[in-house]
Amino acid sequence: MPTRSVIYAKVDRPDPALVARATKFGIADLHEGLGEIAGRMCLMSPMMAPIAPGQKVCGPAVTAWNFPGDNLAIHAALYTAQAGDVLVLTNGGGHQGALWGDVACSFAQKKGLAGTVVHGATRDVDAIRALGYPVWATAVSPEHPKKRGPAAVNVPLVVDGVTVEPGDVIVGDSDGVLVIPKALLELAVTNAEKRAAAEVEFRRRIADGEILFDVLGMRALVADLGIEIKDCTWEEDR
């Protein structure tokens, strides 16, 4: 954790082939692919919502910590980021001083960035939607931000309750935002691929006329739990 303002220009990015595999999945598959513990620890809250529906992002994180009411760090992050990266910005989640707006969005889009995740406020929402650049945020506010620091770029952050290190893979869609640590990326992707293959089989069985209760093995589970299924109404059972 830095004790003074700092900008790290380099990021240890994950294997691009693994990122490409992850791009094929929504966050639900990857969230479950991480397992019950990591899957929950890496999932941002429902407050982190897309600015426009139907958007998706998947790419390495470039992080920026901003002093409340200030967005100097986001401009340094924009400077260091590469095509395909996802900017991850925080000021602790407050609405004071919008961290992101349409001008920064236009530059990020021209530079080829994959998207931006904002733990804090964004503004110029209509213009951002018109641009079609993917943005998630916990708040919307037009409040003017200062640009005087302090600031830290490409350092580990806590963003909407989730630890994000530079180079972690950020996946976002209409369900929210998931952070996949580099060390767990292959596990998440491999398990997501297995889960997707299993769901193909589930859909085939449903199309063939089976009911979901049996396709998912609920009948056996209910029996194992000792739950009785009674062929009557509750009034008749009194």
Coordinates of all heavy atoms in Angstrom, one line a residue, residues 59-100:
G59 N -11.4 -7.8 -19.5 CA -10.1 -7.4 -19.7 C -9.3 -7.1 -18.5 O -9.9 -7.1 -17.4
P60 N -8.0 -6.9 -18.6 CA -7.1 -6.7 -17.4 C -7.4 -5.3 -16.8 O -7.6 -4.3 -17.5 CB -5.7 -6.8 -18.0 CG -5.8 -7.4 -19.3 CD -7.2 -7.0 -19.8
A61 N -7.3 -5.3 -15.5 CA -7.6 -4.1 -14.7 C -6.4 -3.1 -14.7 O -5.2 -3.5 -14.5 CB -7.9 -4.4 -13.3
V62 N -6.7 -1.8 -15.0 CA -5.8 -0.7 -14.7 C -6.5 0.1 -13.6 O -7.6 0.5 -13.8 CB -5.5 0.1 -15.9 CG1 -4.9 1.5 -15.5 CG2 -4.7 -0.6 -16.9
T63 N -5.8 0.2 -12.4 CA -6.5 0.7 -11.2 C -6.1 2.2 -11.0 O -5.0 2.6 -11.3 CB -6.2 -0.1 -10.0 OG1 -4.8 0.0 -9.7 CG2 -6.6 -1.6 -10.2
A64 N -7.1 2.9 -10.4 CA -6.8 4.3 -10.0 C -7.6 4.7 -8.8 O -8.8 4.6 -8.7 CB -7.3 5.3 -11.2
W65 N -6.8 5.0 -7.7 CA -7.4 5.5 -6.5 C -7.4 7.1 -6.5 O -6.4 7.7 -6.8 CB -6.5 5.1 -5.3 CG -7.1 5.6 -4.0 CD1 -8.0 5.0 -3.2 CD2 -6.8 6.8 -3.3 NE1 -8.3 5.8 -2.1 CE2 -7.5 6.9 -2.1 CE3 -5.9 7.9 -3.6 CZ2 -7.5 8.0 -1.3 CZ3 -5.8 8.9 -2.7 CH2 -6.6 9.0 -1.6
N66 N -8.6 7.6 -6.2 CA -8.8 9.1 -6.3 C -9.2 9.6 -4.9 O -10.0 9.0 -4.2 CB -9.9 9.4 -7.3 CG -9.6 8.9 -8.7 OD1 -9.1 9.6 -9.5 ND2 -9.9 7.6 -8.9
F67 N -8.6 10.7 -4.6 CA -9.0 11.4 -3.3 C -10.5 11.9 -3.5 O -10.9 12.3 -4.6 CB -8.2 12.6 -3.1 CG -8.3 13.2 -1.7 CD1 -7.6 12.6 -0.6 CD2 -9.0 14.3 -1.5 CE1 -7.7 13.1 0.6 CE2 -9.1 14.9 -0.2 CZ -8.5 14.2 0.9
P68 N -11.3 11.8 -2.5 CA -12.7 12.2 -2.6 C -12.9 13.6 -3.1 O -12.2 14.5 -2.7 CB -13.2 12.1 -1.1 CG -12.4 11.0 -0.5 CD -11.1 11.2 -1.1
G69 N -13.7 13.7 -4.1 CA -13.9 15.0 -4.8 C -12.9 15.3 -5.9 O -12.9 16.4 -6.4
D70 N -12.0 14.4 -6.2 CA -10.9 14.6 -7.1 C -10.8 13.5 -8.1 O -11.2 12.3 -7.8 CB -9.6 14.7 -6.3 CG -8.4 15.2 -7.1 OD1 -7.8 14.4 -7.9 OD2 -8.1 16.4 -6.9
N71 N -10.4 13.8 -9.4 CA -10.3 12.7 -10.3 C -8.9 12.8 -11.1 O -8.9 12.3 -12.2 CB -11.5 12.6 -11.3 CG -11.5 13.7 -12.4 OD1 -10.7 14.7 -12.3 ND2 -12.3 13.5 -13.4
L72 N -7.9 13.3 -10.5 CA -6.6 13.4 -11.1 C -6.1 12.0 -11.5 O -5.5 11.8 -12.6 CB -5.6 14.0 -10.2 CG -4.1 14.0 -10.6 CD1 -4.0 14.9 -11.9 CD2 -3.2 14.6 -9.5
A73 N -6.3 11.0 -10.7 CA -5.8 9.6 -10.9 C -6.3 9.0 -12.2 O -5.6 8.2 -12.8 CB -6.0 8.7 -9.7
I74 N -7.6 9.3 -12.5 CA -8.2 8.7 -13.7 C -7.5 9.1 -15.0 O -7.3 8.3 -15.9 CB -9.7 8.9 -13.8 CG1 -10.0 10.3 -14.2 CG2 -10.4 8.5 -12.5 CD1 -10.7 10.3 -15.6
H75 N -7.0 10.3 -15.0 CA -6.3 10.8 -16.2 C -4.9 10.1 -16.3 O -4.4 9.8 -17.4 CB -6.1 12.3 -16.1 CG -7.5 13.0 -16.2 ND1 -8.2 13.1 -17.4 CD2 -8.3 13.5 -15.2 CE1 -9.4 13.7 -17.1 NE2 -9.4 14.0 -15.8
A76 N -4.2 9.9 -15.2 CA -3.0 9.2 -15.2 C -3.2 7.7 -15.6 O -2.4 7.1 -16.4 CB -2.3 9.2 -13.8
A77 N -4.3 7.1 -15.2 CA -4.7 5.8 -15.5 C -4.9 5.7 -17.0 O -4.5 4.7 -17.7 CB -5.9 5.3 -14.7
L78 N -5.6 6.6 -17.6 CA -5.9 6.7 -19.0 C -4.6 6.8 -19.8 O -4.5 6.2 -20.9 CB -6.7 7.9 -19.4 CG -8.3 7.7 -19.3 CD1 -8.9 9.1 -19.4 CD2 -8.7 6.8 -20.4
Y79 N -3.6 7.5 -19.3 CA -2.3 7.6 -19.9 C -1.6 6.3 -20.0 O -0.9 5.9 -21.0 CB -1.5 8.7 -19.2 CG -0.1 8.8 -19.6 CD1 0.3 9.3 -20.8 CD2 0.9 8.3 -18.7 CE1 1.6 9.4 -21.2 CE2 2.3 8.4 -19.1 CZ 2.6 8.9 -20.3 OH 3.9 9.0 -20.7
T80 N -1.6 5.5 -18.9 CA -0.9 4.3 -18.8 C -1.6 3.1 -19.4 O -0.9 2.1 -19.8 CB -0.6 3.9 -17.3 OG1 -1.8 3.6 -16.7 CG2 0.2 5.0 -16.6
A81 N -2.9 3.1 -19.6 CA -3.7 2.0 -20.1 C -3.4 1.6 -21.5 O -3.1 2.5 -22.3 CB -5.2 2.3 -19.9
Q82 N -3.6 0.4 -21.8 CA -3.4 -0.1 -23.2 C -4.7 -0.6 -23.8 O -5.7 -0.9 -23.0 CB -2.4 -1.3 -23.2 CG -1.0 -0.9 -22.7 CD 0.0 -2.1 -22.7 OE1 -0.4 -3.2 -23.2 NE2 1.2 -1.8 -22.2
A83 N -4.8 -0.8 -25.1 CA -6.0 -1.3 -25.7 C -6.4 -2.7 -25.1 O -5.5 -3.5 -24.8 CB -5.7 -1.5 -27.2
G84 N -7.7 -2.8 -24.8 CA -8.2 -4.0 -24.2 C -8.2 -4.0 -22.7 O -8.9 -4.8 -22.0
D85 N -7.6 -3.0 -22.0 CA -7.6 -2.9 -20.6 C -9.0 -2.3 -20.1 O -9.8 -1.7 -20.9 CB -6.6 -1.9 -20.1 CG -5.2 -2.5 -20.2 OD1 -5.0 -3.7 -20.3 OD2 -4.2 -1.7 -20.1
V86 N -9.3 -2.6 -18.8 CA -10.5 -2.1 -18.2 C -10.0 -1.1 -17.1 O -9.3 -1.5 -16.2 CB -11.3 -3.2 -17.6 CG1 -12.6 -2.6 -16.9 CG2 -11.8 -4.2 -18.7
L87 N -10.5 0.1 -17.1 CA -10.1 1.1 -16.0 C -11.0 0.8 -14.8 O -12.2 0.6 -15.0 CB -10.4 2.5 -16.5 CG -9.5 3.1 -17.6 CD1 -9.9 4.5 -17.9 CD2 -8.0 3.0 -17.2
V88 N -10.4 0.7 -13.7 CA -11.1 0.5 -12.4 C -10.8 1.6 -11.5 O -9.7 1.8 -11.0 CB -10.8 -0.9 -11.8 CG1 -11.5 -1.1 -10.5 CG2 -11.0 -2.0 -12.7
L89 N -11.9 2.4 -11.2 CA -11.7 3.7 -10.5 C -12.4 3.7 -9.2 O -13.5 3.2 -9.1 CB -12.2 4.9 -11.4 CG -11.9 4.8 -12.9 CD1 -12.6 5.9 -13.6 CD2 -10.4 4.8 -13.2
T90 N -11.8 4.3 -8.2 CA -12.5 4.5 -6.9 C -12.1 5.8 -6.2 O -11.0 6.2 -6.4 CB -12.3 3.3 -6.0 OG1 -13.1 3.4 -4.8 CG2 -10.8 3.2 -5.5
N91 N -13.1 6.3 -5.5 CA -12.8 7.4 -4.5 C -13.4 7.0 -3.2 O -13.7 7.8 -2.3 CB -13.4 8.7 -5.0 CG -14.9 8.7 -5.1 OD1 -15.5 7.7 -4.8 ND2 -15.4 9.8 -5.5
G92 N -13.6 5.7 -3.0 CA -14.2 5.1 -1.8 C -15.7 5.0 -2.0 O -16.4 4.5 -1.0
G93 N -16.2 5.3 -3.1 CA -17.6 5.1 -3.4 C -18.5 6.3 -3.2 O -19.7 6.3 -3.4
G94 N -17.9 7.5 -2.9 CA -18.7 8.7 -2.7 C -19.2 9.3 -4.0 O -18.6 9.1 -5.0
H95 N -20.3 10.1 -3.9 CA -20.8 10.8 -5.1 C -20.1 12.1 -5.4 O -20.3 12.7 -6.4 CB -22.3 11.0 -5.0 CG -22.7 11.9 -3.9 ND1 -22.6 13.3 -4.0 CD2 -23.1 11.6 -2.6 CE1 -23.0 13.8 -2.8 NE2 -23.3 12.8 -2.0
Q96 N -19.3 12.6 -4.4 CA -18.7 13.9 -4.6 C -17.6 13.9 -5.6 O -16.7 13.1 -5.6 CB -18.2 14.5 -3.2 CG -17.0 13.7 -2.6 CD -17.5 12.6 -1.7 OE1 -18.4 11.9 -2.0 NE2 -16.8 12.4 -0.6
G97 N -17.7 14.8 -6.6 CA -16.7 14.8 -7.7 C -16.8 13.6 -8.6 O -16.3 12.6 -8.3
A98 N -17.6 13.8 -9.7 CA -17.7 12.7 -10.7 C -16.4 12.2 -11.2 O -15.5 13.0 -11.6 CB -18.6 13.1 -11.8
L99 N -16.1 10.9 -11.1 CA -14.8 10.4 -11.5 C -14.8 10.2 -13.0 O -13.7 10.2 -13.6 CB -14.6 9.0 -10.9 CG -14.4 8.9 -9.4 CD1 -14.2 7.5 -8.9 CD2 -13.1 9.7 -9.1
W100 N -15.9 10.1 -13.7 CA -15.9 9.7 -15.1 C -16.9 10.5 -15.9 O -18.0 10.8 -15.3 CB -16.2 8.2 -15.2 CG -15.9 7.6 -16.6 CD1 -16.9 7.2 -17.5 CD2 -14.7 7.4 -17.2 NE1 -16.3 6.7 -18.6 CE2 -14.9 6.8 -18.5 CE3 -13.3 7.6 -16.8 CZ2 -13.9 6.5 -19.3 CZ3 -12.3 7.3 -17.7 CH2 -12.6 6.7 -18.9

